[in-house]
Amino acid sequence: ILLSGLGTGTILTMSSHHWLMAWMGLEINTLAIVPIMSKQHHPRATEATTKYFLTQAAASALILFSSTVNAWHTGTWDITQMTTLTATTLLTLALAMKLGLAPMHFWLPEVLQGVTMTTALIITTWQKLAPMSLIYLTTHNLSPTVLLLMGILSSLLGGWGGLNQTQTRKLMAYSSIAHLGWMATIATMLPNILTFTLMIYIMMTTTMFLTLILTNAKTLQDMSMSWTISPPITIISLLTLLSLGGLPPLTGFTPKWLILEELTKQSLILTATIMAISALLSLFFYLRLTYTTSLTMAPNTTPTKYKWRFKMSSPSLLMTTTPMTFLLLPLTPLLTQ
């Protein structure tokens, strides 16, 4: 029931034209995920749920307020007719808060750290769809300057924040913030590349979380022992991390390449340079993670104890997302038409 509520809320927001329907979809979505997060009966989970609920409720209230202000000025509740400056600014802030864009990103690492891996996967992938669809619908009315600034700040803070983390969920949270920053920079210029980047981000993040779930790796130390559980999954996580970092010839390079190309076309050379440098910050902690996962210990020498090899659940979703995480770069011209 809760998962179908989660799906219904997102689909309702994505398919609505009226602000109240979109707001209702976001509320159903939030109310469905709250019990999923707090199901653990642990103080950490309760704290994470409370933080999540408060930020999402505040962001929803802001969305409702911005749409009311717009209706007051223009007399319409249509999502695509958001033309009042005050309303668009409030909406940008509210959606940034919902997504976890800097400077409203502080809740995301804390929330992810308090919930299970599977719930963290839902929050970093499915929960981004509804707010992103609202950005997509209102993109021609939003302020490009605000979104560019938020994008630059998010990609920088996403890179910096992850540098000193040892918990895999927090690393994935900062990775999410950095990727959302890339999406925010391109949102007002090419909405189709925004959709493409979101799709690739969801695939890469899903693959990474599935490998973490299968190896039960919560810290860097757990990652360094993952080869004792399953060597093939260690190789998959190594390549997925490099793809998340945006290294060619892996899929993760495609959105970065297209976004930097568009920024230079629009004569935003300084923005493109800062974004490229911020990608190096993220790449550093991805490389550190790949180093501890696959390069610190040869499989033939083991000074530490082996982990128990329980029968692994069939990773059918991993089989689907893994090829797309690695091999979509040659299909770039076809995908971005």
Side-chain angles (χ1 to χ4, degrees):
I1 289 169
L2 292 171
L3 287 172
S4 61
L6 206 62
T8 309
T10 303
I11 292 162
L12 190 65
T13 303
M14 289 168 86
S15 57
S16 57
H17 292 281
H18 195 287
W19 271 115
L20 280 180
M21 284 296 280
W23 172 79
M24 205 181 297
L26 290 168
E27 284 300 298
I28 292 168
N29 193 281
T30 306
L31 290 173
I33 193 119
V34 162
I36 296 171
M37 289 170 72
S38 59
K39 185 171 165 281
Q40 233 183 326
H41 297 304
H42 188 279
R44 272 278 178 90
T46 314
E47 184 189 336
T49 311
T50 312
K51 284 176 180 172
Y52 185 81
F53 177 75
L54 289 173
T55 48
Q56 297 298 312
S60 289
L62 263 178
I63 288 172
L64 198 58
F65 181 52
S66 69
S67 54
T68 311
V69 168
N70 189 62
W72 190 24
H73 281 282
T74 61
T76 178
W77 285 91
D78 194 330
I79 291 179
T80 53
Q81 303 299 316
M82 177 72 87
T83 48
T84 320
L85 182 64
T86 318
T88 50
T89 310
L90 282 169
L91 180 71
T92 312
L93 292 173
L95 291 173
M97 199 168 170
K98 272 214 167 284
L99 287 165
L101 272 172
M104 280 80 85
H105 66 287
F106 294 100
W107 62 271
L108 189 59
E110 297 295 323
V111 166
L112 286 204
Q113 190 52 39
V115 295
T116 61
M117 282 285 184
T118 316
T119 316
L121 167 62
I122 295 169
I123 293 168
T124 47
T125 55
W126 185 261
Q127 293 298 87
K128 305 295 180 206
L129 290 174
M132 272 297 176
S133 66
L134 287 177
I135 286 181
Y136 186 85
L137 287 168
T138 56
T139 183
H140 56 287
N141 294 323
L142 297 177
S143 162
T145 318
V146 175
L147 277 171
L148 273 172
L149 282 170
M150 278 185 172
I152 292 167
L153 201 58
S154 295
S155 56
L156 284 169
L157 287 173
W160 263 318
L163 290 179
N164 63 345
Q165 297 299 331
T166 54
Q167 301 286 335
T168 50
R169 278 166 293 187
K170 280 197 174 177
L171 280 166
M172 291 309 292
Y174 283 109
S175 158
S176 174
I177 293 162
H179 277 92
L180 288 167
W182 283 85
M183 288 176 226
T185 39
I186 202 69
T188 51
M189 295 171 218
L190 280 178
N192 61 334
I193 289 189
L194 164 72
T195 320
F196 175 68
T197 310
L198 180 63
M199 182 186 78
I200 284 183
Y201 157 76
I202 286 174
M203 281 190 306
M204 293 191 299
T205 308
T206 306
T207 309
M208 194 61 232
F209 265 112
L210 288 171
T211 58
L212 294 176
I213 290 163
L214 285 167
T215 54
N216 197 25
K218 293 186 174 71
T219 61
L220 283 180
Q221 195 178 359
D222 294 341
M223 290 289 283
S224 67
M225 288 303 296
S226 65
W227 61 267
T228 62
I229 300 170
S230 170
I233 283 190
T234 307
I235 295 162
I236 290 172
S237 58
L238 159 79
L239 288 167
T240 308
L241 283 162
L242 294 177
S243 187
L244 276 164
L247 287 182
L250 300 162
T251 308
F253 175 63
T254 318
K256 288 185 168 63
W257 171 28
L258 293 169
I259 291 168
L260 288 175
E261 186 185 18
E262 184 57 31
L263 286 172
T264 44
K265 268 187 194 170
Q266 302 284 349
S267 303
L268 295 164
I269 308 297
L270 185 62
T271 308
T273 310
I274 295 167
M275 293 300 285
I277 290 166
S278 73
L280 292 176
L281 289 169
S282 297
L283 186 61
F284 177 81
F285 70 76
Y286 292 130
L287 284 174
R288 194 184 59 179
L289 206 50
T290 52
Y291 185 75
T292 52
T293 306
S294 54
L295 301 172
T296 48
M297 197 184 295
N300 53 4
T301 58
T302 171
T304 46
K305 290 176 184 174
Y306 273 79
K307 283 191 173 185
W308 283 95
R309 283 194 189 221
F310 294 115
K311 188 177 183 299
M312 294 179 79
S313 57
S314 173
S316 50
L317 184 59
L318 190 61
M319 293 173 201
T320 317
T321 56
T322 304
M324 292 192 281
T325 305
F326 303 156
L327 307 169
L328 286 187
L329 184 63
L331 298 176
T332 308
L334 188 72
L335 291 166
T336 52
Q337 275 175 359

